[in-house]
C-alpha cells in the first residue's frame, strides 16, 4: 500500500502546472494564420541591430518548442521574439502559461488549419485571441486593421481581462501604421509609412504585397520600443525570407520558378497567384496542389482559389491531388479556358505533362501543402530547364 501511495504521489507531481516564466524585458509573441515566421524574422532583423536577442528558430512554434525556449533564455538577452503556433483551441493559452508575452502580434485570421475548427473562421479567431487574454494584461497588442476578424478583437469576448494598448497596421484602412506609395518590382517592394509625423521610406527585398503587412508589424513593434526609422530601415534591408516561401529562381531564356511549397491554404494560394501575375513574365503557369487540413471547408476553400485564379492573368493551370480538382473545376466554371487546365492524380503524370510546357519566356508558380513535397516539382522543373538549355547548346 505504501508503494502505491508513492506512485500516486509521483503521478500527481507530473501533472502539476509549470510556473509561468515572466521576464522583465520585452517578450514579443507572434501568432496568426499567415506570416508568423516572416513577421518574427523581420522584427528580429531590426532588434538585433542594437540588442542581443533570443528568437525562436525557423518556424518552430509548437508547445514543446516554447518549453525549450524557457530553458534557454538568459539574462544576456535584452528581448525575446517567439512564434506561437496552434493546431487547436487552448494551444495559445498553454504557450502563454509557459512564457508570458508582454507584446503580442496577431498577423491575421485566415484559413490555415480551418479543418481543426469545424470549418469556421470564428473558431480560429477565438483560438488566436487567446494571446490577448493570457499575455500580460497591461501589455501591447498589434492587430491588422484590414482583417475583419482582427478588427473585432478589441471587443469582448476576445479581450477578457486585458486592459493594455491596441495598435493597428494596415494598407486599405486607416491605421496607426499605414503603408502608402507602394511600388512593386521583380526584386522587392518600396513603400512609405508615417513615423513621428515624418513620412519614412522603406524597402523590402522580398516578393508579395502581403509581406507589407509583416513589415508594418515589424516597424510598429520596434518603433514602439524606441528604434529609429534608420535602424528599422536597415533591419528590413537585411531581412532574408526563408526558403520555399516564394523563393524566386531565374534561368536562361527568361524561365522563372516561384517556389512557394512550404505550406498552403486558400489565402496563401491567392497571394502566391498575385505574385505570379505581378512579377512573372511570358507565359504564366500555376501548379497548385491539394491544400490539407481544410475539413468542412475543403470544397469551398479549393473552389475559391480556382475562381480567384480565373480572374487573373494566368495562362495555364495544373492541379495535383484529389481535393485540388475543385480548383480546376471552379476555374473552368468561372471562365478559365478548359483546354488550358490539366488535373493530375499523381506527381509522375504531373511532371510528364509539365515537361511539355517548359520553354522560353515561361514563369512557373509551384504551391502546395508541406506534406505533399511539392519541392520535388520545383526540382524537376529546374533540372528539365537545364536539360533544355544544354540540348540547345
Amino acid at each position: 500500500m505504501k508503494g502505491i501511495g508513492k506512485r500516486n504521489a509521483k503521478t500527481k507531481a507530473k501533472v502539476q502546472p509549470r510556473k509561468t516564466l515572466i521576464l522583465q524585458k520585452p517578450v514579443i509573441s507572434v501568432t496568426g494564420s499567415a506570416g508568423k515566421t516572416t513577421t518574427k524574422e523581420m522584427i528580429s532583423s531590426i532588434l538585433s541591430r542594437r540588442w542581443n536577442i533570443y528568437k525562436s528558430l525557423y518556424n518552430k512554434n509548437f508547445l514543446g518548442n516554447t518549453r525549450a525556449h524557457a530553458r534557454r533564455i538568459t539574462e544576456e538577452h535584452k528581448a525575446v521574439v517567439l512564434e506561437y503556433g496552434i493546431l487547436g483551441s487552448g494551444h495559445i493559452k498553454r504557450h502563454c502559461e509557459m512564457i508570458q508575452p508582454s507584446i503580442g502580434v496577431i498577423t491575421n485570421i485566415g484559413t490555415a488549419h480551418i479543418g481543426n475548427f469545424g470549418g469556421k473562421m470564428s473558431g480560429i479567431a477565438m483560438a488566436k485571441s487567446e494571446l490577448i487574454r493570457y499575455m500580460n494584461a497591461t501589455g501591447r497588442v498589434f492587430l491588422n486593421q484590414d482583417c475583419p476578424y482582427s478588427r473585432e478583437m478589441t471587443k469582448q469576448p476576445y479581450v477578457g481581462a486585458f486592459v493594455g494598448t491596441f495598435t493597428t497596421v494596415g494598407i486599405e484602412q486607416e491605421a496607426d501604421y499605414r503603408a502608402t506609395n507602394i511600388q512593386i518590382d521583380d526584386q522587392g517592394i518600396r513603400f512609405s509609412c508615417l513615423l513621428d509625423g515624418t513620412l519614412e521610406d522603406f524597402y523590402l527585398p522580398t516578393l508579395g504585397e502581403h509581406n507589407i503587412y509583416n513589415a508594418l508589424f515589424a516597424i510598429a513593434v520596434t518603433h514602439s520600443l524606441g528604434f529609429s526609422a534608420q535602424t528599422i530601415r536597415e533591419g528590413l534591408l537585411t531581412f532574408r525570407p526563408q526558403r520555399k516561401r516564394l523563393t524566386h529562381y531565374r534561368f536562361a531564356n527568361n524561365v522563372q520558378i516561384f517556389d512557394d511549397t512550404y505550406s498552403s491554404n486558400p489565402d496563401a494560394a491567392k497571394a502566391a497567384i498575385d505574385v505570379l501575375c505581378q512579377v512573372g513574365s511570358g507565359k504564366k503557369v500555376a501548379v497548385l496542389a491539394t491544400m490539407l487540413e481544410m475539413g468542412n471547408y475543403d470544397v469551398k476553400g479549393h473552389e475559391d482559389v480556382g475562381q480567384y485564379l480565373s480572374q487573373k492573368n494566368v495562362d495555364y493551370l495544373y492541379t495535383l491531388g484529389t481535393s485540388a480538382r475543385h480548383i480546376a473545376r471552379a476555374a473552368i466554371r468561372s471562365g478559365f479556358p478548359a483546354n488550358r487546365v490539366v488535373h493530375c492524380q499523381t506527381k509522375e503524370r504531373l511532371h510528364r505533362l509539365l515537361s511539355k510546357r517548359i520553354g522560353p519566356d515561361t514563369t512557373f508558380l509551384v504551391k502546395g501543402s508541406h506534406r505533399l513535397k511539392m519541392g520535388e516539382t520545383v526540382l524537376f522543373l529546374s533540372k528539365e530547364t537545364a536539360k533544355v538549355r544544354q540540348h540547345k547548346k
Side-chain angles (χ1 to χ4, degrees), residues 171-182:
I171 299 174
E172 300 167 2
Q173 302 285 326
E174 287 293 336
D176 298 312
Y177 295 84
R178 187 182 185 188
T180 58
N181 304 324
I182 298 170

Side-chain angles (χ1 to χ4, degrees), residues 219-231:
I219 292 168
V221 168
T222 55
H223 181 249
S224 74
L225 291 172
F227 280 63
S228 68
Q230 182 58 27
T231 302

Side-chain angles (χ1 to χ4, degrees), residues 2 38 113 116 149 158 162 206 209 281 293 320 332 335 339:
K2 288 181 180 179
T38 301
H113 307 299
N116 297 343
Y149 285 93
Y158 300 107
F162 182 78
T206 188
E209 190 170 347
S281 60
E293 296 183 357
L320 173 68
I332 294 170
N339 63 346

Side-chain angles (χ1 to χ4, degrees), residues 57-77:
L57 291 176
Y58 311 113
N59 66 319
K60 295 185 180 297
N61 58 26
F62 294 119
L63 294 168
N65 301 128
T66 300
R67 193 175 295 113
H69 298 323
R71 298 191 297 267
R72 295 169 183 162
I73 298 167
T74 71
E75 292 182 0
E76 295 178 357
H77 298 121

Side-chain angles (χ1 to χ4, degrees), residues 277-289:
C277 296
Q278 291 168 351
V279 182
S281 60
K283 295 186 291 291
K284 300 178 181 66
V285 182
V287 184
L288 306 179

Side-chain angles (χ1 to χ4, degrees), residues 235-255:
L236 290 178
L237 275 172
T238 56
F239 162 78
R240 292 294 178 269
Q242 290 189 300
R243 291 179 62 250
K244 299 183 181 297
R245 296 175 188 263
L246 282 172
T247 304
H248 191 189
Y249 297 107
R250 295 180 177 86
F251 300 88
N253 301 315
N254 194 31
V255 176

Side-chain angles (χ1 to χ4, degrees), residues 289-304:
T290 288
M291 299 175 287
L292 302 177
E293 296 183 357
M294 299 293 290
N296 297 337
Y297 197 74
D298 187 73
V299 174
K300 185 181 188 313
H302 286 86
E303 287 181 343
D304 282 353

